[in-house]
Amino acid sequence: MRVPFYSQILTGRGIISGMGRFFRYFLRNTFYLGAISSECVAGAVRPSSWVLPVRQRFTRQILFGGVEAIPFTMFAGVTAGIVLTLNSYKFLEFTGQIDFLGPVLSILVIREAAPFFACVIIISASASAITTEIAMMRVNGEVDLLEGQGVNLVQFLVMPVRSDLRWRRRG
Amino acid sequence: MFVACAFAASAIAILMIGRISSWAFFNSIFDAIVLADFLNLIGRSTVPAFLIGVICCHEGLRVSGPVTVVPQAVTKAMLRAVAVTLIFSAAFTVLIEQVAMHVEPTQFAEECLTTVSDRDCEASGRPWDFCGHFNFQPEATGVFIDADE
């Protein structure tokens, strides 16, 4: 049975070796993600990569994860704006610095809330769907079939998703 | 869209409170927005979205075995995506602050920038911008003063 890497640290083969294994695990995954990212960017800037199935998948991703998430984004913005305004107003009025309400809100909303909420909305709206879709394709053997036909998996599966997420900067 | 909705809701909340002019409130918001805010917003929205997409596809492609491993892969992908987002946000904030310390003018330089233009703005009745007059005096900021003197 395969055990997680952190259980080996806790159950004993030494702290140093555990840290070494952790950093090897971290570096291996980081380099793997970097390799996929590089291939995606290289494919996205090459016009010949945007064949019809890739464009169809890209459009479907925008419609599913971007357009359908607009009402929830607006709802989250309104809720966060009201909550941040009321809390900031109470605290600044208590301290006598009510003139700083505008700068405080601009910092809170633009610097902190908007990027964080954008990422949370992307994760909640798209991340689980993307992972489930690709994992089910893997389990059902569709990915093996594509590989057997010589199809570039990164170009046909990963690149439309990443390009779609890149254009959904709704913060 | 998120920012617009948040500021609109803030203005409505300010109007409901009724103790601050909403016009002055919006002016103070737009005065406080600087270039570093936009860089921060774009950088912290775009790059984590890249990483989220890559992580989700990576975890999905790593699955092997029965269908029951799919929920585990989804859970792991979401946890890793949230962790990467938080780590990148913290690192990017520190980076932007370090860069902004060297790029943005000091408070004394800002005073030099706005000394004359404030009078013009008061005369023109538009105190929220520089009215197109910049009175930048580089020797007054102390940047060009020789250290030996």
Side-chain angles (χ1 to χ4, degrees), chain A residues 34-46 49-50 154 159 162-163 166, chain B residues 50:
Chain A
I36 295 179
S37 306
S38 313
E39 190 170 352
C40 282
V41 172
V45 299
R46 198 168 49 234
S49 301
W50 295 94
V154 174
M159 195 181 80
R162 276 204 50 183
S163 303
R166 181 181 61 187
Chain B
F50 277 169

Side-chain angles (χ1 to χ4, degrees), chain A residues 17-169:
Chain A
S17 59
M19 289 173 61
R21 276 192 298 277
F22 170 75
F23 280 110
R24 275 174 49 201
Y25 173 84
F26 178 76
L27 288 177
R28 189 172 63 241
N29 282 285
T30 304
F31 282 125
Y32 193 76
L33 293 179
I36 295 179
S37 306
S38 313
E39 190 170 352
C40 282
V41 172
V45 299
R46 198 168 49 234
S48 60
S49 301
W50 295 94
V51 292
L52 184 60
V54 177
R55 290 201 303 270
Q56 285 177 343
R57 186 176 168 82
F58 177 64
T59 310
R60 201 166 60 238
Q61 284 289 335
I62 288 180
L63 186 64
F64 171 69
V67 178
E68 291 183 1
I70 286 176
F72 182 71
T73 307
M74 295 173 67
F75 172 73
V78 169
T79 312
I82 292 174
V83 170
L84 291 176
T85 304
L86 293 180
N87 283 310
S88 306
Y89 180 82
K90 276 186 179 179
F91 182 74
L92 291 175
E93 189 183 32
F94 176 72
T95 55
Q97 302 288 335
I98 198 65
D99 294 337
F100 289 99
L101 181 62
V104 166
L105 273 181
S106 71
I107 288 174
L108 278 176
V109 172
I110 295 180
R111 287 199 180 187
E112 299 301 327
F116 181 74
F117 272 93
C119 292
V120 166
I121 291 171
I122 287 173
I123 290 172
S124 58
S126 306
S128 57
I130 293 167
T131 312
T132 307
E133 183 182 0
I134 294 181
M136 289 302 291
M137 288 176 70
R138 186 71 158 175
V139 168
N140 292 332
E142 298 172 30
V143 174
D144 297 335
L145 186 64
L146 288 173
E147 279 182 328
Q149 290 178 343
V151 174
N152 186 356
L153 289 180
V154 174
Q155 181 186 349
F156 277 83
L157 293 179
V158 182
M159 195 181 80
V161 172
R162 276 204 50 183
S163 303
D164 164 55
L165 293 183
R166 181 181 61 187
W167 287 108
R168 269 192 276 145
R169 302 181 310 207

